[in-house]
Amino acid sequence: MTTPSGRATSTRVAVVGGSIGGMTAAGLLRDAGYQVDVYERSPGPLSGLGTGIVVQPELVRFLLERTTTTLEDISVPSSSMKYVDASSGALIGATDDSWRFTSYNALYHRLLENFGLERYHFSCNLEQVVDHGDQVDLTFSSGETAQADLVVLADGGASAGRRQLLGVTPEYAGYVTWRGLAELDALSASTRDYFDDTFTYGLLDDGHLIAYPIPVVDAEGQTRRALNYQWYWNVPAGPALDELMTDRNGVRRPTSVHHHDLRPELLAEFHSRASERLTDTFVELLHAAREPFVTVIADADVPQMRVGRCVLIGDAAVTPRPHAAAGGAKAAADAWALVAALTDGGDDLDGALTKWEAQQLPVGRAYLQKVRRMADVLQHGGRFTPGDPANRFGLPTVVAG
Ligand SMILES: Cc1cc2nc3c(=O)[nH]c(=O)nc-3n(C[C@H](O)[C@H](O)[C@H](O)COP(=O)(O)OP(=O)(O)OC[C@H]3O[C@@H](n4cnc5c(N)ncnc54)[C@H](O)[C@@H]3O)c2cc1C
């Protein structure tokens, strides 16, 4: 653990956004002796709606190194990757890659438990950020304000901080993803066996599916295995997208339409398209899922990750698409690198931030290029070669220039 320096103990850090990146940064900065407050827009604890996340070392590093959490507590394994034609069922290839899968909720609740609620402030929607060079003023929608010597903007892909400081907003990628979770006991034995111990790619000419097991923690704290899937649909921007993203009350949702807000005819179309296009095995999985919902895929590039005493981390900096399963890992890696740079930088806070930005910006941008290349193939029927190292999950290795 880092030894708190005199500077650290007197430096006030505001972390905006209390999810994976924000909570990793908050925990590390507090351990390093900083006075850390987290400002989160949500009125209460966040929920990942039961969706899965592939474990990368950076994603779970804080929990494994700084808490008593073990990998077994928060994840389940699989032993292979399988690539199939989702319309015929033909096997395209298989590899022996083994991965572990966790869930958003499993990570978030442990990060929150570690940080505690005393300085985690709910219902704080950042409205304005003003950098004065040596101090930053924050204003929230409630009218409340906060001051800090350093602000970590970890407010995700639609970052208000990024919009204000850099004028960057996310751009629609041309496709959406349907996501859902099926209980193992809701599936026939053959469908369960088909998906349970593997990461499955279901390839189509105009999109793709993925399916993999994840841990679900029940109200009693017991963990069970379930199957998580995503089905990516190409949908042009304009009327088709607007119709898809309009909820049962006629409201056009910007990012996701959650299950309870889905128009019944849309859910019917989802199921009928599955029956027309997919093999019976995929259809069974999709039909068995509780509460499917739809999310737009968007991304954003940034020219910088630091403006004065504000730093952008995770999705609030470069917002990637999900295909290399390392967006959360990138957010956590930004946080680890930030604290390492601050610790190495001694009293030179500005020098440390400059050094950190030079290190992390190329990683984020290279990752964005990687997932855009993967999307070109996955969404447009290109050749997605089993085992191709260019498509392997994880952050790219960037050699410092
Ligand atoms: C379909 C899909 C699948 C994915 N699969 C994986 C995977 O397998 N592995 C992986 O590593 N990553 C995956 N990701 C990516 C991962 O979810 C994100 O990259 C990761 O959550 C980014 O973390 P973050 O902390 O930067 O931002 P987020 O998790 O988006 O958190 C942002 C936080 O800021 C808060 N906030 C927003 N605006 C404000 C505001 N104005 N004021 C205050 N608070 C605010 C939000 O409520 C939220 O808590 C996936 C993403 C998607 C969409």
Side-chain angles (χ1 to χ4, degrees):
M1 191 178 296
T2 318
T3 310
S5 71
R7 174 176 63 74
T9 50
S10 63
T11 302
R12 298 161 304 164
V13 182
V15 175
V16 180
S19 175
I20 295 173
M23 292 307 287
T24 303
L28 288 170
L29 286 161
R30 191 178 62 181
D31 284 355
Y34 292 86
Q35 296 178 42
V36 183
D37 286 278
V38 177
Y39 299 96
E40 166 56 46
R41 165 179 73 179
S42 166
L46 301 162
S47 166
L49 300 164
T51 48
I53 298 187
V54 181
V55 171
Q56 303 287 345
E58 303 87 347
L59 181 75
V60 293
R61 183 176 167 197
F62 183 86
L63 289 177
L64 300 191
E65 289 187 13
R66 301 286 174 96
T67 75
T68 55
T69 302
T70 65
L71 208 46
E72 288 68 32
D73 292 334
I74 49 168
S75 65
V76 294
S78 74
S79 63
S80 65
M81 294 186 84
K82 183 162 66 182
Y83 303 72
V84 297
D85 179 328
S87 58
S88 70
L91 182 67
I92 296 167
T95 60
D96 285 339
D97 270 325
S98 52
W99 290 100
R100 294 193 76 95
F101 309 104
T102 184
S103 66
Y104 184 86
N105 291 351
L107 295 176
Y108 171 74
H109 286 291
R110 283 170 188 267
L111 288 167
L112 186 61
E113 191 179 32
N114 170 71
F115 189 76
L117 291 174
E118 200 181 327
R119 299 187 79 161
Y120 187 103
H121 312 283
F122 289 111
S123 299
C124 289
N125 180 47
L126 178 71
E127 211 162 78
Q128 194 180 43
V129 51
V130 180
D131 175 67
H132 298 288
D134 57 354
Q135 183 184 292
V136 184
D137 291 341
L138 301 174
T139 307
F140 302 100
S141 305
S142 61
E144 284 172 82
T145 59
Q147 284 76 42
D149 304 301
L150 173 65
V151 170
V152 178
L153 292 161
D155 52 343
S159 172
R162 180 178 63 193
R163 190 176 62 244
Q164 283 181 44
L165 296 172
L166 299 177
V168 173
T169 50
E171 199 172 324
Y172 176 53
Y175 54 99
V176 303
T177 180
W178 283 90
R179 305 159 79 179
L181 186 75
E183 298 293 344
L184 292 185
D185 60 13
L187 298 168
S188 64
S190 61
T191 298
R192 209 164 47 227
D193 291 348
Y194 187 85
F195 290 114
D196 191 24
D197 187 33
T198 190
F199 184 101
T200 304
Y201 276 108
L203 303 174
L204 295 166
D205 288 342
D206 58 352
H208 74 287
L209 299 97
I210 55 174
Y212 54 98
I214 66 165
V216 177
V217 185
D218 67 19
E220 281 77 47
Q222 299 297 312
T223 301
R224 64 179 189 280
R225 232 172 136 100
L227 280 168
N228 169 78
Y229 74 79
Q230 293 185 39
W231 184 9
Y232 291 87
W233 287 9
N234 292 328
V235 181
L241 183 65
D242 292 343
E243 197 191 331
L244 186 66
M245 298 305 294
T246 298
D247 70 15
R248 63 192 315 151
N249 299 313
V251 177
R252 165 65 161 92
R253 301 284 182 155
T255 311
S256 292
V257 185
H258 296 306
H259 182 75
H260 300 295
D261 297 319
L262 278 176
R263 283 180 293 120
E265 60 271 30
L266 195 57
L267 198 56
E269 189 198 334
F270 172 68
H271 286 138
S272 69
R273 199 190 287 201
S275 302
E276 283 160 25
R277 304 283 314 274
L278 309 176
T279 62
D280 291 348
T281 316
F282 279 103
V283 172
E284 188 186 335
L285 175 66
L286 268 53
H287 275 266
R290 283 182 289 135
E291 309 189 343
F293 65 101
V294 64
T295 303
V296 299
I297 302 297
D299 67 19
D301 198 359
V302 285
Q304 57 195 88
M305 289 171 71
R306 179 223 169 172
V307 177
R309 289 287 178 87
C310 299
V311 294
L312 297 151
I313 70 167
D315 279 17
V318 171
T319 308
R321 305 179 193 182
H323 312 300
K330 179 170 82 65
D334 285 342
W336 278 93
L338 177 65
V339 178
L342 291 171
T343 306
D344 288 352
D347 288 334
D348 182 10
L349 180 57
D350 291 304
L353 298 182
T354 302
K355 193 174 149 205
W356 168 79
E357 181 188 45
Q359 184 187 327
Q360 292 309 107
L361 185 57
V363 176
R365 299 187 88 181
Y367 184 62
L368 180 61
Q369 294 312 316
K370 172 178 174 172
V371 290
R372 282 180 173 171
R373 277 196 301 270
M374 289 174 76
D376 283 345
V377 181
L378 286 166
Q379 284 307 103
H380 302 289
R383 196 174 156 76
F384 198 73
T385 313
D388 183 346
N391 300 331
R392 187 175 166 76
F393 296 153
L395 294 173
T397 306
V398 175
V399 181

